[in-house]
Amino acid sequence: MACSLVQFSCFQDLQATRDFLFPHLREETPSGAARQDPSKPAIWADDDWGAWEETESQEPFYQQEEEGTTCKTQKCSWLQDCVLSLSPTNDLMVIAREQKAVFLVPKWKHSDKGKEEMQFAVGWSGSLNVEEGECVTSVLCIPLASQKRSSTGRPDWTCIVVGFTSGYVRFYTENGVLLLAQLLNEDLVLQLKCRTYEIPRHPGVTEQNEELSILYPSAIVTIDGFSLFQSLRACRNQVAKAAASGNENIQPPPLSYKKWGLQDVDTIIDHASVGIMTLSSFDQMKTASNIGGFNAAIKNSPPAMSQYITVGANPFSGFFYALEGSTQPLLSHVALAVASKLTSALFNAASGWLGWKSKHEEEAVQKQKPKVEPATPLAVRFGLPDSRRHGESICLSPCNTLAAATDDFGRVILLDVARGIAIRMWKGYRDAQIGWIQIVEDLHERVPEKVDLSPFGNNQCPSRVAQFLAIYAPRRGILEVWSTQQGPRVGAFNVGKHCRLLYPGYKIMGLNNVTSQNWQPQTYQICLVDPVSGSMKTVNVPFHLALSDKKSQRAKDLHLAKKLAILLKTKSSTPDLLESEIKELILDIKYPATKKQALESILASERLPFSCLRNITQTLMDTLQNQELESVDEGLQQLCANKLKLLHLYESVTKLNSLDLHSSTPFSDDDLAVLLRLDEKELLKLQSLLEKYKQEIARTSVRFSSDKDDTLPVKTFLEHLESENDVINIKKISEEEYVALGSFFFWKCLHGESSTEDMCHTLESAGLSPQLLLSLLLSVWLSKEKDVLDKPQSVCCLHTMISLLSKMKVAIDETWDSQSVSPWWQQMRTACIQSENNGAALLSAHVGHSIAVQISNNLTEKKFSQTVLGADSEGLTDSWEALSLDTEYWKLLLKQLEDCLILQTLLHSKVNTQPSKVSLLQTEPLPKLSVRKLLEGGKGGIADSVAKWIFKQDFNPAVLNLADKERNVENPDEPREGINRGFLEVLEVNMDIGALSDLLHLAYKQFPCSLEQDVLHAHCCWEYVVQWNKDPEEARFLVRSIEHLKHILSAHVQNGIALMMWNTFLVKRFSAATYLMDKVGKSPKERLCRRDVGMSDTAMVSFLGSCLDLLQTLMEADVARDEMQVPVLDTEDAWLSVEGPVSIVELALEQKHIHYPLVEHHSILCWVLCAILKFALKTVKPLSLFDSKGKNAFFKDLTSIQLLPSGEMDPNFISVRQQFLLKVVSAAVQTQHSVAKNEDPSEEAVPTAFERDYNWPVLAVDLAHHLQVSADVVRRHYVGELYSYGVDHLGEEAILQVQDKEVLASQLLVLIGQRLAYVLFHSQTKQGLELLARLSPTLCTWLKAMDTHGLQNTSVPIATTAKLVNKVIELLPENHGQYSLALHLIEAVEAISIPIS
């Protein structure tokens, strides 16, 4: 056992604290980063790249390097410029600099490794200065004890004491609330130190009172701890009351204090308040003789004095003594110095309090500083004069007998407080930081092997206390631990050059000799804060390191233990010599605890052979047995006996495994059937299932080569097992280690290569329970599934081993009967239920069932033989099987395992071999199944597993329906061809149709209820939409989900699933898409779509089409559900005990009825959005087509009753809607019939999911009815667009749907005029001018007024236009105003069509 540096906490974000206290460090980081090339890593700065090339400019480079080094050092060493204080109870930490301070509080959080650890996080931060220009010089965190009787030993709260350059001392709560503030001296505060109550170790030691000491450059102020404790509690209560009542003008009471003016000292840097001391009579007379001479007067009782030690300059260390409780002088010159003001200075009322006032009042008071009481002079008694040496710090030991001081020469000086002399000096520790560690001896470690008659051999004697000095040298980055007073260095740690060593020197304030008896606060002694790693560490020092080598047998033992450790690591060619050396070393060790550690290290060695370990342990055991009983450690002897027992067991098992027996008797299927109690049909079925299962797992699983399964290192064997009270148990080990241990015992036996009877007898006699052996055996069997399935003879070996284990004494309870459940068989069934290797589990269940039936029959036969003759009973037991509760449980388990095996075979299969686009979500492996998982997966667990497999295969939903037709097929030969033909229609090429059909048919047969078509489609629908939600870019997943939804036959299930999909996954994205398109007024670009909707613009097109399909399906299901009955969800008999989450189908059936008009309202909006995206319409805001009622109803719960638009609509809305529909019709006709000059009409874009089934002009007419727009206007516009694009034959068909044909004829006249005008006026030829001359002036004027820019197709034949003119004349009545114009057009068309000669 040696010193150790242990981390007990860390910082959550120390950089944030640094940035708050040092803003210039925070500002340099981003600016420096901005100067670098962002394309390069941060470690390759531009300034460093060309450094070796610029040989001429070395000086600037070095200068820059030095500046960078200085900046880097400043960023790491910033903690050295701060004032730190950590509460000794580790409840609060304060880091302050100048006016700012940060309060850090501990919180329990999970680390990166998954373990809980305590991390300090910022609890409060801000500025503490009240007066302008004052800075923090010293901080203390003092935990205050709770006065409640039910306290757990933790402090009630922690007070923060802060000293300032202005001389003020202020007290704060953990939340930064100012409790009180007082000006004790008009000079800066140099140091704050605290002393808390400690129980005296000896009766002669003076009891020390609690005290807070405040050091100024020429004075020291002490505040009594008891009065301070009461005042702080009162102030805290007053602050709480003031905060509750809102009153801020509360005056806190003054503190009582003593103030001493330190004289005859040039400079004071630090101090230590030793406390009250009483001189012995000899010391009293010696002091009086040295100062007062021969005639000095001496009192009968020595006076009590408070001792103070300072470090600084001239003298380097000064010793001061202040009388306690009396004004009479101890010596004449002391009386002259202090008699005038000693009495009045003991307890003065403080003046000039601040706090609990308004800001303006505080500023007014601060301008007038309060009057400060003068200090009572106190001359230095003596010191250590050294004019060149300047002290920097002093640290008092916990027992107040020693003090360590540092100076500017890099020395650490150890002072004897009582004698006032330096007793030791360490050199080479410049800027050192020091602290003390006090260790109390553990009495149990003092007990030696032999009877010790010395006082220290008695357990009742008091514990000894050792003190160690911790020195941190930042220049060297090393933390050392030294034994005092003249002891050696006992520990050293490399910790870095930027740490801070914290040593509070106090514990909890507010305790006394009564309350501290049972108070055991968890306080630390020293703390090393590392700002680089953000960790907080402490040092653990064993007590025995304080003992010298002559007095400490433990030190000698530790030396032998280290020598043994080195010997175990060295390679030796002669094992016998190594064994003898190890024996000699372990026998020389005296302490039992060290000898235990040595034996454990020997047994944990990997280099020593088994024979060496056995001989060493046996030798040590023999030595202990030859010793006297009183001097033998029982724990060590028991450890040797237990390890020897395990070694003998290891030797026996190794010998049995090395025999290598081979059975020559063949093993047939008939033998297997008899062994498992199966008939020929059941055996063939079992073999068929296992063969399919083997094929699938062989194709999907990967097996790595491993070491021999029957070997196990002795080191590992001893680590896994423990022996106690003649019983061997297994420690908590991993599953792999558990299987390895079981393989060491049983793998040879399962292969028939070792004696099963001998192995079971050996293990039973060693103390292993049959339950433990059964667990090991099953773990090996279930984990080695591939091996046991390839070798059927292993089933016979398993049967033999379980039979032998069942015959052990404590395996099956003797009181077990057929009407109760045996814990033995229940253990085996539980292992099979939990196993994910279903093939091995099914075989082991058959073996267990066979043995259980055999044992049950034997017990029944014994009971039956008591009442009937033996011959009759034999005849009966051969022909019938005894009924028992265990047998029924076995049959249930066999059915469950068979179902699970078939399901697992299906999930392992892969039928789609065509290379296609596969998402990463589809490449994730499916989890393995077990009976336990299916029982805990709820009623929908089976369908959910199959749905995940279907998602992974991604085939057409029609496949499920076609495979389901085999359920009702009576003749399996003829319909198979028809079914396969149906498969060819819906499946891709290269898909194994027969395998898919067989697997699905088998699964449907095993699970007629769980895999019912609607249930399976519902789970598939949900699985696809869940996966789509993970990656919305995979639009085909949502399309496939809607396809499965449409295949659901029950309208109740369909309605519920669709409603859940809408509420859970679609409505939020749908509303985001709506608001985005309404904001931009057009089809949004990809960046906006990804930002608001979470998908690309192309994926959003498909998404809206799927939303439209879902809403349409939802409306259809709502209409159909009234004519259907609610389906009843059944469960297979073997799976009635399932527990777990509610099935998705059950949730769907619980959904409410939708409000049909509201769904229709959303579908209209979806149509609008689809049209905008489909045709890239601009300047269209979808929400502008609806009034306020319509807008408010959007995206509400579809089952709620919303106020929808009704009655006459505002003409302005109708006009906007009509313009939108006309745009849609124009865009649809343009998309379908526009023929660009440079575009091949055969090359058309592949339609998306919602385009291929919809005729947009027809949909526009349908939308016109819902939007209260005249449908005839839309039809007429559609006819006009068709003729404009020259598709006259479609236009003639569309005319039939128009009602107001007169208006249509007028519109078509304009279109005819545009065609003729283009022919006449755009062909500036002589023939064109002659044709124009033949026309009437009226017609010429009308044609000249035509705008031909709106004509989309100008190359329409004149004969086609002639047909259109005739059609218009048919539509116009003769009394129509434009009828004559139509007649003129006929003449014009005829004139144009007749060629000019």
Side-chain angles (χ1 to χ4, degrees), residues 271-469:
H271 79 291
S273 176
V274 182
I276 300 174
M277 61 172 294
T278 303
L279 294 176
S280 64
S281 299
F282 177 79
D283 290 338
Q284 181 188 13
M285 289 186 290
K286 182 183 69 173
T287 304
S289 300
N290 290 334
I291 298 179
F294 182 78
N295 296 321
I298 300 174
K299 286 189 175 182
N300 294 330
S301 60
M305 297 177 291
S306 293
Q307 183 182 8
Y308 304 99
I309 305 175
T310 63
V311 292
N314 293 327
F316 159 71
S317 176
F319 291 77
F320 298 84
Y321 296 88
L323 289 174
E324 291 289 332
S326 174
T327 59
Q328 297 179 1
L330 174 63
L331 299 171
S332 57
H333 73 282
V334 178
L336 291 175
V338 299
S340 60
K341 293 186 178 180
L342 180 60
T343 305
S344 60
L346 290 179
F347 297 98
N348 290 329
S351 61
W353 290 89
L354 297 177
W356 296 290
K357 295 182 180 181
S358 64
K359 185 175 181 181
H360 301 290
E361 292 177 348
E362 286 183 358
E363 293 177 354
V365 174
Q366 288 172 7
K367 292 179 181 178
Q368 299 178 357
K369 286 192 175 182
K371 181 180 179 182
V372 179
E373 296 292 336
T376 302
L378 184 63
V380 62
R381 172 76 61 87
F382 59 88
L384 298 179
D386 192 339
S387 58
R388 296 176 57 196
R389 189 181 305 273
H390 291 239
E392 294 181 346
S393 66
I394 185 171
C395 187
L396 188 65
S397 68
C399 61
N400 294 350
T401 58
L402 301 172
T406 62
D407 58 25
D408 57 347
F409 288 167
R411 271 51 165 182
V412 177
I413 303 174
L414 187 65
L415 304 176
D416 188 326
V417 172
R419 295 185 292 170
I421 60 175
I423 58 178
R424 190 172 184 180
M425 179 182 290
W426 290 269
K427 297 182 179 180
Y429 294 91
R430 193 172 297 276
D431 300 330
Q433 302 171 27
I434 52 180
W436 290 89
I437 304 173
Q438 180 171 283
I439 305 298
V440 181
E441 180 189 18
D442 187 0
L443 293 178
H444 296 286
E445 296 184 356
R446 192 189 298 178
V447 182
E449 289 187 344
K450 296 182 180 180
V451 178
D452 191 355
L453 300 178
S454 66
F456 293 106
N458 186 8
N459 289 345
Q460 301 299 325
C461 67
S463 299
R464 294 175 290 182
V465 175
Q467 295 186 103
F468 299 90
L469 180 65

Side-chain angles (χ1 to χ4, degrees), residues 18 24-29 32 35 64-78 498:
R18 186 200 69 182
H24 62 282
L25 296 181
R26 175 181 56 191
E27 293 173 0
E28 287 180 1
T29 303
R35 288 192 298 267
Q64 184 178 4
E65 186 177 8
E66 290 178 0
E67 292 177 358
T69 305
T70 304
C71 182
K72 183 178 180 180
T73 304
Q74 188 177 8
K75 290 180 181 179
C76 297
S77 63
W78 62 274
H498 309 292

Side-chain angles (χ1 to χ4, degrees), residues 679-695:
D679 55 26
E680 183 180 357
K681 184 177 180 181
E682 293 173 341
L683 181 62
L684 290 176
K685 179 182 178 183
L686 176 63
Q687 290 176 338
S688 175
L689 292 177
L690 291 176
E691 189 63 31
K692 290 181 180 179
Y693 179 74
K694 280 170 53 178
Q695 293 176 0

Side-chain angles (χ1 to χ4, degrees), residues 242 246-252 355-358 361:
N247 184 13
E248 297 183 356
N249 297 322
I250 298 178
Q251 295 294 335
W356 296 290
K357 295 182 180 181
S358 64
E361 292 177 348

Side-chain angles (χ1 to χ4, degrees), residues 1100-1119:
M1100 195 167 75
V1101 175
S1102 179
F1103 164 70
L1104 291 176
S1106 298
C1107 289
L1108 188 55
D1109 283 346
L1110 183 131
L1111 293 173
Q1112 294 291 335
T1113 306
L1114 194 57
M1115 290 188 290
E1116 294 172 1
D1118 184 65
V1119 174

Side-chain angles (χ1 to χ4, degrees), residues 746-752 777 780-781 793-794 797-798 801:
F746 300 118
W747 187 244
K748 283 280 190 178
C749 298
L750 289 175
H751 277 247
L777 177 61
V780 176
W781 177 267
Q793 189 177 358
S794 59
C797 301
L798 178 66
M801 294 206 68

Side-chain angles (χ1 to χ4, degrees), residues 544-704:
H544 66 82
L545 294 179
L547 305 176
S548 63
D549 294 342
K550 296 180 181 179
K551 297 181 181 179
S552 176
Q553 180 62 42
R554 179 177 293 276
K556 181 180 178 182
D557 287 352
L558 289 178
H559 174 71
L560 294 174
K562 291 181 180 178
K563 187 176 180 181
L564 176 63
I566 296 173
L567 189 61
L568 292 175
K569 293 180 181 179
T570 57
K571 294 182 179 180
S572 177
S573 58
T574 56
D576 297 336
L577 179 60
L578 180 63
E579 180 182 336
S580 61
E581 292 180 359
I582 293 175
K583 287 180 181 179
E584 183 180 356
L585 285 175
I586 195 171
L587 292 178
D588 288 343
I589 297 175
K590 302 302 180 183
Y591 271 82
T594 311
K595 190 168 288 189
K596 286 180 183 178
Q597 294 178 1
L599 179 60
E600 290 174 352
S601 63
I602 292 172
L603 296 176
S605 176
E606 297 179 352
R607 299 181 182 273
L608 298 180
F610 167 76
S611 59
C612 183
L613 298 178
R614 181 193 57 197
N615 296 338
I616 293 172
T617 310
Q618 187 65 51
T619 303
L620 181 59
M621 186 66 182
D622 296 340
T623 305
L624 294 176
Q625 290 177 350
N626 294 331
Q627 292 180 358
E628 299 178 2
L629 293 177
E630 297 179 354
S631 61
V632 175
D633 186 78
E634 295 181 0
L636 178 59
Q637 189 175 11
Q638 187 65 37
L639 176 65
C640 291
N642 294 336
K643 296 299 181 181
L644 271 177
K645 186 176 182 180
L646 294 178
L647 289 172
H648 290 319
L649 175 61
Y650 180 84
E651 184 179 16
S652 302
V653 175
T654 305
K655 288 182 179 179
L656 290 174
N657 287 335
S658 62
L659 295 178
D660 200 10
L661 301 177
H662 291 280
S663 177
S664 59
T665 58
F667 189 74
S668 63
D669 292 345
D670 295 337
D671 298 333
L672 183 61
V674 173
L675 197 67
L676 301 181
R677 293 178 174 264
L678 299 175
D679 55 26
E680 183 180 357
K681 184 177 180 181
E682 293 173 341
L683 181 62
L684 290 176
K685 179 182 178 183
L686 176 63
Q687 290 176 338
S688 175
L689 292 177
L690 291 176
E691 189 63 31
K692 290 181 180 179
Y693 179 74
K694 280 170 53 178
Q695 293 176 0
E696 295 299 337
I697 64 172
R699 187 171 54 81
T700 57
S701 62
V702 179
R703 190 183 182 194
F704 299 94

